[in-house]
Amino acid sequence: MKARSILRAREHHPALDGLLTDTADSNTYMRSVNDALGYEPTHKSVEYQRDL
């Protein structure tokens, strides 16, 4: 599905320079899918949560 979405985005927007995706480090399955599709790490977000 993700590969088809990429192809569709490129078909409908030929001037598109690239795509971004966010995936948690703990989601190893989706990270391997993203690696296979050619995504490269560009940023990292850190979220903190505190019980009040």
Side-chain angles (χ1 to χ4, degrees):
M1 281 178 47
K2 194 166 192 172
R4 179 66 187 127
S5 294
I6 293 168
L7 291 173
R8 188 171 179 177
R10 293 190 181 278
E11 289 169 1
H12 292 294
H13 306 281
L16 191 64
D17 286 335
L19 298 169
L20 295 175
T21 188
D22 290 327
T23 305
D25 283 339
S26 60
N27 189 343
T28 54
Y29 174 75
M30 189 51 71
R31 289 181 53 84
S32 66
V33 169
N34 289 341
D35 289 345
L37 292 172
Y39 283 96
E40 296 180 5
T42 60
H43 64 281
K44 186 171 186 167
S45 297
V46 179
E47 184 176 314
Y48 296 95
Q49 183 174 341
R50 182 175 182 191
D51 292 331
L52 299 177

